Amino acid sequence: HPHTTRWTLLQRLHVRFTSISGTLPTQIGHWTSLARLDVAHCQVSGTLPIELGAITTLSEVYVEGNQLTGAVPALAVRRFCTLIDEERRTNEFACPLPAALSDTCRAALACSDDGDVDVVVRRIVATLVDDSGVSRNATASAAAIGGAVGGVVLGVVVLLACA
């Protein structure tokens, strides 16, 4: 991971549904131009680096469908955030959720009695902010779009319908 600190101009990392495995490097905090992180449905394990919370340009995060554990960092994600696949329940994040976690990431999450982060409802909720700074909420139910396909398609549908 030593060379990953040189990736300061990287704006989008999209490796969804690849066989990428291992942990996300802590050097990701140096990727100060990163706007979209998509490592969904790979074989990523370990924890989400706390350094992700320092990236102020980060507007989209997709990490569902992996084997991530531990605390959720204080992500300041503005547009769309998917941490847990509601169908497969793969990542097992621990509570409590950080107070500084953006509403975009927190929208469909809650702490369960066993201390794990869980999906609140079978609905994907996104808070979107347009270029003028106006917030809009968008929802998509799994049943309405074909829940058997899973959270990936739901996320895409919400982005296309409300962006």
Side-chain angles (χ1 to χ4, degrees):
H1 301 298
H3 298 291
T4 57
T5 56
R6 298 180 189 163
W7 296 8
T8 57
L9 299 178
L10 181 69
Q11 294 180 354
R12 292 183 181 94
L13 179 63
H14 182 94
V15 293
R16 175 182 295 243
F17 286 111
T18 64
S19 59
I20 298 289
S21 63
T23 60
L24 292 173
T26 57
Q27 293 87 347
I28 201 168
H30 296 285
W31 302 356
T32 54
S33 298
L34 190 64
R36 179 185 175 130
L37 174 66
D38 189 342
V39 295
H41 301 281
C42 293
Q43 296 173 27
V44 179
S45 59
T47 60
L48 280 177
I50 195 166
E51 292 81 2
L52 276 174
I55 304 174
T56 58
T57 55
L58 200 57
S59 62
E60 298 178 36
V61 172
Y62 306 92
V63 297
E64 74 276 9
N66 287 293
Q67 295 86 41
L68 294 165
T69 59
V72 175
L75 299 170
V77 177
R78 298 181 316 271
R79 287 186 52 88
F80 201 79
C81 181
T82 308
L83 300 177
I84 299 174
D85 183 323
E86 68 175 291
E87 295 293 324
R88 295 176 189 87
R89 310 268 187 199
T90 45
N91 295 333
E92 294 188 18
F93 295 113
C95 287
L97 293 170
L101 183 65
S102 71
D103 289 341
T104 305
C105 291
R106 182 183 301 275
L109 302 176
C111 289
S112 62
D113 292 338
D114 61 3
D116 291 334
V117 175
D118 219 350
V119 175
V120 177
V121 291
R122 292 182 48 84
R123 217 166 242 275
I124 300 294
V125 180
T127 302
L128 301 174
V129 180
D130 64 21
D131 292 335
S132 65
V134 176
S135 294
R136 297 183 290 153
N137 288 331
T139 61
S141 87
I145 307 173
V149 178
V152 176
V153 170
L154 292 176
V156 172
V157 170
V158 170
L159 283 174
L160 291 176
C162 302

PDB file of all heavy atoms in Angstrom, residues 124-143:
ATOM      1  N   ILE A 124     -34.622   1.515   0.467  1.00  0.00           N
ATOM      2  CA  ILE A 124     -33.406   2.304   0.313  1.00  0.00           C
ATOM      3  C   ILE A 124     -33.831   3.763   0.362  1.00  0.00           C
ATOM      4  O   ILE A 124     -34.736   4.173  -0.348  1.00  0.00           O
ATOM      5  CB  ILE A 124     -32.713   2.009  -1.035  1.00  0.00           C
ATOM      6  CG1 ILE A 124     -32.337   0.534  -1.123  1.00  0.00           C
ATOM      7  CG2 ILE A 124     -31.503   2.894  -1.231  1.00  0.00           C
ATOM      8  CD1 ILE A 124     -31.296   0.078  -0.138  1.00  0.00           C
ATOM      9  N   VAL A 125     -33.184   4.528   1.227  1.00  0.00           N
ATOM     10  CA  VAL A 125     -33.509   5.940   1.356  1.00  0.00           C
ATOM     11  C   VAL A 125     -32.255   6.731   1.036  1.00  0.00           C
ATOM     12  O   VAL A 125     -31.177   6.432   1.537  1.00  0.00           O
ATOM     13  CB  VAL A 125     -33.976   6.282   2.779  1.00  0.00           C
ATOM     14  CG1 VAL A 125     -34.301   7.766   2.892  1.00  0.00           C
ATOM     15  CG2 VAL A 125     -35.173   5.435   3.173  1.00  0.00           C
ATOM     16  N   ALA A 126     -32.387   7.729   0.213  1.00  0.00           N
ATOM     17  CA  ALA A 126     -31.237   8.568  -0.132  1.00  0.00           C
ATOM     18  C   ALA A 126     -31.623  10.022   0.034  1.00  0.00           C
ATOM     19  O   ALA A 126     -32.722  10.421  -0.324  1.00  0.00           O
ATOM     20  CB  ALA A 126     -30.803   8.319  -1.571  1.00  0.00           C
ATOM     21  N   THR A 127     -30.730  10.793   0.618  1.00  0.00           N
ATOM     22  CA  THR A 127     -30.911  12.227   0.657  1.00  0.00           C
ATOM     23  C   THR A 127     -29.976  12.798  -0.382  1.00  0.00           C
ATOM     24  O   THR A 127     -28.767  12.624  -0.302  1.00  0.00           O
ATOM     25  CB  THR A 127     -30.560  12.789   2.053  1.00  0.00           C
ATOM     26  OG1 THR A 127     -31.390  12.154   3.009  1.00  0.00           O
ATOM     27  CG2 THR A 127     -30.767  14.289   2.091  1.00  0.00           C
ATOM     28  N   LEU A 128     -30.537  13.448  -1.373  1.00  0.00           N
ATOM     29  CA  LEU A 128     -29.752  13.983  -2.474  1.00  0.00           C
ATOM     30  C   LEU A 128     -29.724  15.497  -2.383  1.00  0.00           C
ATOM     31  O   LEU A 128     -30.708  16.124  -2.029  1.00  0.00           O
ATOM     32  CB  LEU A 128     -30.364  13.554  -3.810  1.00  0.00           C
ATOM     33  CG  LEU A 128     -30.475  12.050  -4.021  1.00  0.00           C
ATOM     34  CD1 LEU A 128     -31.225  11.758  -5.308  1.00  0.00           C
ATOM     35  CD2 LEU A 128     -29.113  11.409  -4.052  1.00  0.00           C
ATOM     36  N   VAL A 129     -28.591  16.081  -2.689  1.00  0.00           N
ATOM     37  CA  VAL A 129     -28.457  17.527  -2.688  1.00  0.00           C
ATOM     38  C   VAL A 129     -28.105  17.953  -4.104  1.00  0.00           C
ATOM     39  O   VAL A 129     -27.104  17.523  -4.657  1.00  0.00           O
ATOM     40  CB  VAL A 129     -27.357  17.985  -1.703  1.00  0.00           C
ATOM     41  CG1 VAL A 129     -27.231  19.497  -1.716  1.00  0.00           C
ATOM     42  CG2 VAL A 129     -27.646  17.466  -0.308  1.00  0.00           C
ATOM     43  N   ASP A 130     -28.956  18.796  -4.704  1.00  0.00           N
ATOM     44  CA  ASP A 130     -28.674  19.226  -6.067  1.00  0.00           C
ATOM     45  C   ASP A 130     -27.663  20.366  -6.060  1.00  0.00           C
ATOM     46  O   ASP A 130     -27.212  20.815  -5.018  1.00  0.00           O
ATOM     47  CB  ASP A 130     -29.958  19.589  -6.813  1.00  0.00           C
ATOM     48  CG  ASP A 130     -30.690  20.780  -6.234  1.00  0.00           C
ATOM     49  OD1 ASP A 130     -30.062  21.590  -5.523  1.00  0.00           O
ATOM     50  OD2 ASP A 130     -31.899  20.915  -6.490  1.00  0.00           O
ATOM     51  N   ASP A 131     -27.290  20.845  -7.223  1.00  0.00           N
ATOM     52  CA  ASP A 131     -26.254  21.871  -7.348  1.00  0.00           C
ATOM     53  C   ASP A 131     -26.598  23.173  -6.632  1.00  0.00           C
ATOM     54  O   ASP A 131     -25.723  23.919  -6.251  1.00  0.00           O
ATOM     55  CB  ASP A 131     -25.963  22.155  -8.823  1.00  0.00           C
ATOM     56  CG  ASP A 131     -25.303  20.973  -9.498  1.00  0.00           C
ATOM     57  OD1 ASP A 131     -24.659  20.172  -8.790  1.00  0.00           O
ATOM     58  OD2 ASP A 131     -25.430  20.839 -10.722  1.00  0.00           O
ATOM     59  N   SER A 132     -27.871  23.444  -6.445  1.00  0.00           N
ATOM     60  CA  SER A 132     -28.261  24.690  -5.771  1.00  0.00           C
ATOM     61  C   SER A 132     -28.292  24.527  -4.260  1.00  0.00           C
ATOM     62  O   SER A 132     -28.602  25.462  -3.546  1.00  0.00           O
ATOM     63  CB  SER A 132     -29.631  25.152  -6.269  1.00  0.00           C
ATOM     64  OG  SER A 132     -30.622  24.211  -5.891  1.00  0.00           O
ATOM     65  N   GLY A 133     -27.981  23.317  -3.749  1.00  0.00           N
ATOM     66  CA  GLY A 133     -27.942  23.083  -2.310  1.00  0.00           C
ATOM     67  C   GLY A 133     -29.270  22.637  -1.727  1.00  0.00           C
ATOM     68  O   GLY A 133     -29.406  22.521  -0.522  1.00  0.00           O
ATOM     69  N   VAL A 134     -30.268  22.364  -2.577  1.00  0.00           N
ATOM     70  CA  VAL A 134     -31.577  21.929  -2.096  1.00  0.00           C
ATOM     71  C   VAL A 134     -31.552  20.427  -1.855  1.00  0.00           C
ATOM     72  O   VAL A 134     -31.137  19.653  -2.719  1.00  0.00           O
ATOM     73  CB  VAL A 134     -32.682  22.282  -3.124  1.00  0.00           C
ATOM     74  CG1 VAL A 134     -34.031  21.746  -2.683  1.00  0.00           C
ATOM     75  CG2 VAL A 134     -32.732  23.785  -3.325  1.00  0.00           C
ATOM     76  N   SER A 135     -31.988  19.996  -0.669  1.00  0.00           N
ATOM     77  CA  SER A 135     -32.036  18.573  -0.328  1.00  0.00           C
ATOM     78  C   SER A 135     -33.360  17.971  -0.783  1.00  0.00           C
ATOM     79  O   SER A 135     -34.407  18.599  -0.667  1.00  0.00           O
ATOM     80  CB  SER A 135     -31.907  18.373   1.173  1.00  0.00           C
ATOM     81  OG  SER A 135     -30.649  18.768   1.603  1.00  0.00           O
ATOM     82  N   ARG A 136     -33.285  16.742  -1.310  1.00  0.00           N
ATOM     83  CA  ARG A 136     -34.481  16.002  -1.684  1.00  0.00           C
ATOM     84  C   ARG A 136     -34.325  14.584  -1.172  1.00  0.00           C
ATOM     85  O   ARG A 136     -33.241  14.026  -1.195  1.00  0.00           O
ATOM     86  CB  ARG A 136     -34.633  15.943  -3.200  1.00  0.00           C
ATOM     87  CG  ARG A 136     -34.811  17.295  -3.848  1.00  0.00           C
ATOM     88  CD  ARG A 136     -35.030  17.157  -5.331  1.00  0.00           C
ATOM     89  NE  ARG A 136     -33.798  16.730  -5.982  1.00  0.00           N
ATOM     90  CZ  ARG A 136     -33.755  16.051  -7.115  1.00  0.00           C
ATOM     91  NH1 ARG A 136     -34.852  15.692  -7.710  1.00  0.00           N
ATOM     92  NH2 ARG A 136     -32.605  15.726  -7.659  1.00  0.00           N
ATOM     93  N   ASN A 137     -35.399  13.992  -0.703  1.00  0.00           N
ATOM     94  CA  ASN A 137     -35.372  12.601  -0.282  1.00  0.00           C
ATOM     95  C   ASN A 137     -35.953  11.737  -1.388  1.00  0.00           C
ATOM     96  O   ASN A 137     -36.887  12.137  -2.069  1.00  0.00           O
ATOM     97  CB  ASN A 137     -36.179  12.390   0.995  1.00  0.00           C
ATOM     98  CG  ASN A 137     -35.485  12.969   2.195  1.00  0.00           C
ATOM     99  OD1 ASN A 137     -34.263  13.045   2.218  1.00  0.00           O
ATOM    100  ND2 ASN A 137     -36.238  13.387   3.185  1.00  0.00           N
ATOM    101  N   ALA A 138     -35.391  10.561  -1.553  1.00  0.00           N
ATOM    102  CA  ALA A 138     -35.886   9.621  -2.553  1.00  0.00           C
ATOM    103  C   ALA A 138     -35.924   8.246  -1.922  1.00  0.00           C
ATOM    104  O   ALA A 138     -35.033   7.886  -1.164  1.00  0.00           O
ATOM    105  CB  ALA A 138     -34.958   9.604  -3.761  1.00  0.00           C
ATOM    106  N   THR A 139     -36.954   7.489  -2.206  1.00  0.00           N
ATOM    107  CA  THR A 139     -37.040   6.137  -1.677  1.00  0.00           C
ATOM    108  C   THR A 139     -37.365   5.179  -2.800  1.00  0.00           C
ATOM    109  O   THR A 139     -37.971   5.543  -3.805  1.00  0.00           O
ATOM    110  CB  THR A 139     -38.131   6.013  -0.591  1.00  0.00           C
ATOM    111  OG1 THR A 139     -39.384   6.335  -1.175  1.00  0.00           O
ATOM    112  CG2 THR A 139     -37.842   6.916   0.585  1.00  0.00           C
ATOM    113  N   ALA A 140     -36.954   3.946  -2.623  1.00  0.00           N
ATOM    114  CA  ALA A 140     -37.282   2.898  -3.584  1.00  0.00           C
ATOM    115  C   ALA A 140     -37.485   1.623  -2.793  1.00  0.00           C
ATOM    116  O   ALA A 140     -36.614   1.212  -2.040  1.00  0.00           O
ATOM    117  CB  ALA A 140     -36.153   2.721  -4.586  1.00  0.00           C
ATOM    118  N   SER A 141     -38.634   1.007  -2.906  1.00  0.00           N
ATOM    119  CA  SER A 141     -38.857  -0.210  -2.149  1.00  0.00           C
ATOM    120  C   SER A 141     -38.343  -1.400  -2.942  1.00  0.00           C
ATOM    121  O   SER A 141     -38.361  -1.420  -4.160  1.00  0.00           O
ATOM    122  CB  SER A 141     -40.336  -0.390  -1.820  1.00  0.00           C
ATOM    123  OG  SER A 141     -41.005  -1.042  -2.852  1.00  0.00           O
ATOM    124  N   ALA A 142     -37.882  -2.398  -2.210  1.00  0.00           N
ATOM    125  CA  ALA A 142     -37.359  -3.602  -2.850  1.00  0.00           C
ATOM    126  C   ALA A 142     -38.447  -4.297  -3.661  1.00  0.00           C
ATOM    127  O   ALA A 142     -38.199  -4.786  -4.744  1.00  0.00           O
ATOM    128  CB  ALA A 142     -36.794  -4.537  -1.795  1.00  0.00           C
ATOM    129  N   ALA A 143     -39.662  -4.324  -3.145  1.00  0.00           N
ATOM    130  CA  ALA A 143     -40.747  -5.002  -3.852  1.00  0.00           C
ATOM    131  C   ALA A 143     -41.090  -4.296  -5.155  1.00  0.00           C
ATOM    132  O   ALA A 143     -41.384  -4.935  -6.161  1.00  0.00           O
ATOM    133  CB  ALA A 143     -41.976  -5.075  -2.956  1.00  0.00           C
TER     134      ALA A 143
END
